[in-house]
Amino acid sequence: MEASKKIVAQHLQKIVNNDLLNDLIPEIVNHFNEFSLSKNQYFVEKGEVCSYFCFVESGILQHAVSVSGEEKTTYLALKNSFTSSLKSFLQQTPSPKSIKALSTCKLWVITIDDFKHLMKHNKAFHQFYYNLVEHQIFLIDDYRIDLLTLTPEERYKKLLVNEPKLLQEVPLHYLASFLGISTRHMSRIRKNIN
């Protein structure tokens, strides 16, 4: 197995978290194919059907929606994460959001047909997907609670503690949008904290 596919296998194995299913991981990895995006190239544009579910080997994918003509970041998929416009991908319907590369990205993608086949026939993939979705639900819940209960400064400080690499890898205006803060306010917060 080539080095990059080993990385995919390691992350699948970590999420599956069941040694009894490790023998099924190589079959999953064989369904993923390498896919590259240049900076600012779209993985999916709003209104298109999302063709793939992916693993981000390198780079950053920005999930965004347009609100009154302004781009709002809803999620940032970093290196070693799995992502998609999931509803569009699974239901083969137009995506309500765009996903674009904020930097050159090396991805590993799987098609809907292969995804459905693995869900039906590979117990490790089924466990992987269950664990992944459960983890994402926890993150979304935490994020919503933070938006309602924490000040912008507290949200920024929490990001500093929990996701320090975001602050190094993601441009300020994307982070501000993700945190629900204006870019100007975000600059003030950074200045006061640093």
Side-chain angles (χ1 to χ4, degrees), residues 113-147:
D113 291 339
D114 286 343
F115 187 97
K116 286 180 177 178
H117 171 80
L118 288 171
M119 282 295 283
K120 190 172 184 181
H121 301 288
N122 186 299
K123 191 173 180 181
F125 190 75
H126 192 272
Q127 187 66 54
F128 153 77
Y129 184 66
Y130 176 89
N131 291 349
L132 182 71
V133 169
E134 181 179 69
H135 178 71
Q136 288 302 115
I137 290 169
F138 294 161
L139 290 177
I140 291 166
D141 200 31
D142 288 346
Y143 177 73
R144 286 181 175 162
I145 290 167
D146 288 352
L147 278 176

Side-chain angles (χ1 to χ4, degrees), residues 155-170:
R155 291 198 301 272
Y156 180 77
K157 285 178 183 176
K158 185 173 180 179
L159 191 68
L160 272 174
V161 172
N162 296 332
E163 296 287 348
K165 62 184 176 179
L166 269 180
L167 299 168
Q168 298 161 356
E169 299 175 14
V170 179

Side-chain angles (χ1 to χ4, degrees), residues 2 8 16 24 27-30 36 41 45 50 55 60-61 74 87 92 117 120 136 168 176 184 194:
E2 64 180 273
V8 179
V16 170
L24 301 175
E27 180 194 357
I28 299 170
V29 174
N30 287 336
S36 296
Q41 190 175 0
E45 289 190 68
C50 187
F55 173 77
I60 303 165
L61 290 176
T74 61
K87 183 176 180 182
Q92 292 294 283
H117 171 80
K120 190 172 184 181
Q136 288 302 115
Q168 298 161 356
R184 191 182 317 148
N194 298 333

